[in-house]
Amino acid sequence: MYTTIPQYFPNAVTIRELEDRIVRDFMDRHLELKSSIWATSLCSDEVSNMFPEFYHLFAGPGPFQLGGISGLPFTGVTGLKAFLSHVPTHGAAMILYGPHIGVSDDGRIGHVNRANQFASSTCCGSLHAALTALKEGKELPISNPLDYQQARVLNHLSQYRDEILSAENPLKKATDYAYEAIHKKVHDILEQVQDELEDIRLYLLGGIVINTDWNRYDYFEVHHQEFYEY
Ligand SMILES: [Zn+2]
């Protein structure tokens, strides 16, 4: 694990280091963290709840969750509008977004050992399932209300089927493309809610969550860091 992470994620930092970075960035801009709230667009997987350090930084009980499986912002325009309407007066908002990928103690990419499980399991399970579907040439109907999120994930990755399947590590490649899709969707949705952004300072932090075995620290590799003042 300790050689795999720097090899595949050279810019990964611990969650504690990410917290320091957020605090520093807010201070540099004279923003009050306690007058700010945060949202996430991360996978629904319970291992995505690895930012407890952030709970005491911001106002409110916790993040507004914009994401669904894989981390795509499934709550869409309505969800982001709701989040923005909760920002304290003259306050700021942070959106932390991205897909996740496991790296187990034995260095297996796409797996983690979860608490009280005897063997490793897949991480991200949604991207793993999409990868299997790509290999088998399977499709999922978007119209199925009982599994439409996974159909959307597969739909995004299908555009890059050849690149993903021919990659040295197909799951890592799928994760990179999932990041691109999440990043683009977050920005596309922001374009649609410009009217709600008046008087809001917005801090966007996008990257890849790297989950490790349950008794280890997790990591985050920052890919985009942006600040907007409206
Ligand atoms: Zn996942």
Side-chain angles (χ1 to χ4, degrees):
M1 175 193 96
Y2 292 113
T3 53
T4 307
I5 291 176
Q7 182 188 345
Y8 284 89
F9 307 97
N11 299 314
V13 296
T14 63
I15 302 307
R16 187 60 207 260
E17 289 168 324
L18 186 68
E19 179 190 0
D20 290 344
R21 186 167 178 161
I22 292 167
V23 170
R24 204 172 50 241
D25 285 345
F26 271 69
M27 279 177 65
D28 287 349
R29 293 182 169 86
H30 308 289
L31 295 173
E32 186 64 51
L33 275 158
K34 283 290 178 197
S35 297
S36 308
I37 57 173
W38 62 306
T40 58
S41 191
L42 302 170
C43 185
S44 312
D45 190 329
E46 74 277 359
V47 295
S48 296
N49 293 306
M50 24 71 89
F51 299 96
E53 293 91 342
F54 295 4
Y55 281 65
H56 71 271
L57 290 180
F58 294 91
F64 191 112
Q65 294 167 359
L66 301 167
I69 53 174
S70 83
L72 280 169
F74 280 105
T75 62
V77 171
T78 303
L80 191 54
K81 272 187 183 176
F83 169 64
L84 293 172
S85 73
H86 304 163
V87 178
T89 307
H90 308 309
M94 178 180 89
I95 302 176
L96 180 73
Y97 62 90
H100 69 133
I101 187 166
V103 180
S104 61
D105 256 15
D106 55 6
R108 290 175 73 201
I109 290 190
H111 291 80
V112 284
N113 183 222
R114 296 162 192 264
N116 299 319
Q117 283 200 327
F118 292 118
S120 298
S121 58
T122 57
C123 177
C124 171
S126 164
L127 296 183
H128 253 285
L131 187 57
T132 303
L134 286 180
K135 283 178 189 162
E136 295 174 353
K138 280 190 186 159
E139 290 178 14
L140 286 175
I142 298 276
S143 57
N144 178 2
L146 299 182
D147 206 16
Y148 79 96
Q149 289 196 0
Q150 186 62 13
R152 296 296 313 171
V153 173
L154 182 56
N155 186 266
H156 278 296
L157 296 184
S158 297
Q159 304 166 61
Y160 310 104
R161 183 176 185 275
D162 294 344
E163 292 91 328
I164 290 170
L165 295 184
S166 63
E168 179 207 341
N169 189 305
L171 187 74
K172 168 74 168 58
K173 196 71 169 174
T175 306
D176 291 339
Y177 282 121
Y179 176 77
E180 279 184 21
I182 295 165
H183 176 79
K184 182 172 187 311
K185 282 259 180 283
V186 166
H187 286 76
D188 286 351
I189 295 169
L190 276 168
E191 280 292 315
Q192 301 257 317
V193 300
Q194 291 293 307
D195 291 350
E196 323 293 321
L197 287 163
E198 196 178 333
D199 198 31
I200 290 178
R201 273 71 58 86
L202 185 63
Y203 179 66
L204 299 180
L205 200 50
I208 295 182
V209 172
I210 301 147
N211 293 113
T212 56
D213 288 355
W214 66 276
N215 53 351
R216 304 282 188 195
Y217 291 117
D218 290 322
Y219 295 79
F220 191 87
E221 187 180 61
V222 176
H223 285 211
H224 287 95
Q225 188 173 12
E226 298 164 89
F227 180 76
Y228 298 97
E229 195 154 358
Y230 293 94

